[in-house]
Amino acid sequence: MASIRRRARKSDVDKQLSNWSKRRIASWSLFALAALVAVQHLVAHAGWRPIPISMGWQDLLIGYPAAIVIAIIGGIVMDPNPRV
């Protein structure tokens, strides 16, 4: 009886995760990276600089524009016809 429940539960999990294509995983990973870049940039401007480069280079390389570009790439990578 327990094995039947376990199989049914595993089947439910498989059904939920089967909708996550590689493109969707890549897209949401890029969105998470963009959020991380934006938070790091906010923290750097607040005074704590975990990355040892000047603020000018941080603004150019890992600032809000970089976060926006990464988020746009994530939107482009997103599957245009997701399975529901």
Side-chain angles (χ1 to χ4, degrees):
M1 187 69 150
S3 65
I4 293 172
R5 281 192 219 134
R6 197 174 318 126
R7 274 186 278 174
R9 201 172 329 137
K10 183 173 174 16
S11 175
D12 289 342
V13 170
D14 289 343
K15 285 178 190 174
Q16 291 174 5
L17 293 178
S18 68
N19 290 333
W20 282 79
S21 67
K22 290 179 183 179
R23 288 181 73 163
R24 190 172 185 184
I25 292 170
S27 177
W28 282 105
S29 298
L30 287 169
F31 287 141
L33 178 63
L36 183 67
V37 167
V39 168
Q40 187 282 329
H41 192 65
L42 180 68
V43 169
H45 275 288
W48 183 61
R49 295 189 182 149
I51 299 175
I53 58 175
S54 70
M55 281 308 296
W57 281 109
Q58 284 192 35
D59 283 339
L60 290 174
L61 299 176
I62 54 175
Y64 296 124
I68 292 168
V69 168
I70 293 170
I72 289 171
I73 292 170
I76 291 170
V77 169
M78 186 174 277
D79 194 3
N81 300 316
R83 293 174 284 174
V84 180

